[in-house]
Amino acid sequence: MEYGRPLRGVVLEDGSVGSHAAIVARALAIPLVIHAERIASEALNGDAILVDGDQGIVHLRPEETVATAFRDKIAMQAKAQERYAGLRELPATTRCNKTISLSMNAGLMADLPSLEGSGADGVGLFRTELQFLVRNRMPKRDELARIYARVMDAAKGRPVAFRTLDIGSDKVLPYMKPQDEPNPAMGWRAIRVGLDKPGVLRMQAQALIRAANGRALTVMFPFITEHAEFVAAREHVLAQLDREVRLGWPAPATLRIGAMLETPSLAFAPRAFFELADFVSIGGNDLKQFFFAADRENERVRKRYDVLNASFLQFIERIVERCADTGTPLSFCGEDAGRPVEAACLAAVGLRMLSMRPASIGPVKSLLRRVDLGALYDAIEGARAAGAETVRPAVMACLSALPE
Ligand code: PEP
Ligand code: MG
């Protein structure tokens, strides 16, 4: 991904859509198709290739008719984009008059122009590890502080949830000793590394406080599995706040500290956790992986389960209730928030904040503005009561009846 924007498409024989490389490609809006078998041996230098990232299809040396069909499709998409641009300044208010806040996920400087262009309410997930992954050495505190300050400048007062370093599993830093673990997704990753070796966590907290320079600051921790981990990680940040203030840096106007809910265990944490957390953000990519015990990196099992599975939606609803009990703000920032049908269902079960890649904001808003969440919830409930495994057919029937 180091090629950046000039790269027009990526076709891989291997890979997984849940992998970090795929997430970066999505952030850069670069079409990426995986599992294109034999492509590396079939394609010759100079061959034309059409990459349809939406459908996951690749045409090598396409016929003119295929190329024409593609051009038509691109023209239609451009029209849809115009329609979405017309919605940019409008809220995502449903027909039943519920407003859903739509934020964007980011992590690269290349994402920043999208803050204006997409009409996002803020950055619901800033993946700080991307700044670590694109370098071949550990970034320094001042370098990070400058980057974070630029992100806050670009946000112009809109909230940015900076997620502390989430490494391990598929995200391996080239300059850190690789861990030879039998199952890295369930291994020494994210906040587990942060708590065991808190040097980087502390350095990030200092950089964030300096970047905020008296502005509001939002920090969240990845992969919190139990209350005690949240307490300990929060203590680290608060200790750094004391230190920075003693050194003469201004304290942030407000400091909100939240947790990502990415393992089922956290949904069952004691009430004290929900009281202490300033907010909770569901990391649906990981939560789904652990709920279904289906590796997000493994194409063979990944597709078997989805967010519209009746049990999973029930579980999400349970999390909504737990947060409602304590008045803890809740958002959802996994990839599913960026899929219009899935986003509408998440709103129907009670989510009021969704964070997604910038290009999804238009399509998600467009659907949300037409939907009645009560009717959609009834469809979901109906399917569940009838014992359906997935609520998708019921949901699609409900949505297909919507007026344009
Ligand atoms: C998630 O797990 O849903 C998430 C947003 O974090 P990441 O995809 O970076 O693991
Ligand atoms: Mg995650």
Side-chain angles (χ1 to χ4, degrees), residues 87-124:
L87 298 177
R88 197 172 53 206
E89 307 301 329
L90 300 175
T93 302
T94 62
R95 272 181 46 226
C96 50
N97 211 22
K98 297 270 186 303
T99 299
I100 315 296
S101 171
L102 305 182
S103 294
M104 61 175 251
N105 294 347
L108 298 168
M109 289 297 117
D111 293 319
L112 297 187
S114 302
L115 254 164
E116 281 312 310
S118 65
D121 292 337
V123 179

Side-chain angles (χ1 to χ4, degrees), residues 29-188:
I30 296 170
L32 178 141
V33 170
I34 57 168
H35 284 213
E37 281 169 27
R38 299 192 318 280
I39 190 72
S41 47
E42 300 274 341
L44 303 173
N45 264 345
D47 274 349
I49 183 165
L50 288 174
V51 182
D52 184 344
D54 290 334
Q55 301 297 327
I57 292 172
V58 164
H59 297 270
L60 182 61
R61 298 183 289 272
E63 304 269 343
E64 191 43 39
T65 47
V66 176
T68 309
F70 253 67
R71 278 186 214 108
D72 290 349
K73 189 174 161 179
I74 290 168
M76 265 173 59
Q77 279 180 345
K79 272 217 184 90
Q81 286 303 333
E82 265 173 39
R83 217 178 56 236
Y84 300 146
L87 298 177
R88 197 172 53 206
E89 307 301 329
L90 300 175
T93 302
T94 62
R95 272 181 46 226
C96 50
N97 211 22
K98 297 270 186 303
T99 299
I100 315 296
S101 171
L102 305 182
S103 294
M104 61 175 251
N105 294 347
L108 298 168
M109 289 297 117
D111 293 319
L112 297 187
S114 302
L115 254 164
E116 281 312 310
S118 65
D121 292 337
V123 179
L125 165 64
F126 190 86
R127 291 183 163 102
T128 62
E129 63 277 5
L130 295 188
Q131 294 300 331
F132 286 73
L133 284 162
V134 296
R135 285 174 173 66
N136 48 20
R137 53 163 184 82
M138 180 76 85
K140 302 239 170 6
R141 180 185 57 201
D142 291 351
E143 200 179 343
L144 288 180
R146 273 196 302 276
I147 291 168
Y148 300 155
R150 273 177 60 197
V151 176
M152 290 184 216
D153 293 346
K156 298 198 178 111
R158 283 167 288 192
V160 179
F162 287 94
R163 175 176 76 183
T164 62
L165 197 61
D166 183 6
I167 48 154
S169 191
D170 64 317
K171 301 161 192 169
V172 182
L173 298 184
Y175 41 86
M176 263 180 79
K177 198 166 125 246
Q179 302 294 320
D180 190 13
E181 295 184 300
N183 194 343
M186 296 200 223
W188 197 55

Side-chain angles (χ1 to χ4, degrees), residues 299-378:
E299 281 307 297
R300 212 173 197 171
V301 297
R302 185 184 66 78
K303 286 201 191 119
R304 291 176 85 102
Y305 314 97
D306 80 355
V307 76
L308 298 192
N309 173 287
S311 318
F312 190 67
L313 271 186
Q314 191 84 58
F315 182 52
I316 298 282
E317 214 175 332
R318 183 78 192 100
I319 300 169
V320 170
E321 285 162 10
R322 289 223 63 192
C323 287
D325 265 359
T326 45
T328 315
L330 175 68
S331 62
F332 188 107
C333 65
E335 298 300 313
D336 288 312
R339 302 193 173 96
V341 173
E342 283 77 348
C345 292
L346 291 170
V349 299
L351 275 142
R352 291 294 171 267
M353 284 184 274
L354 302 173
S355 192
M356 61 200 72
R357 63 195 173 108
S360 291
I361 291 184
V364 167
K365 192 188 282 185
S366 168
L367 179 60
L368 284 173
R369 286 176 59 85
R370 292 188 294 128
V371 89
D372 180 313
L373 295 181
L376 189 55
Y377 188 78
D378 288 346

Side-chain angles (χ1 to χ4, degrees), residues 245-266:
V245 169
R246 257 187 283 115
L247 289 175
W249 291 92
T254 54
L255 174 59
R256 296 171 67 239
I257 305 180
M260 286 192 71
L261 194 157
E262 307 189 87
T263 57
S265 63
L266 196 63

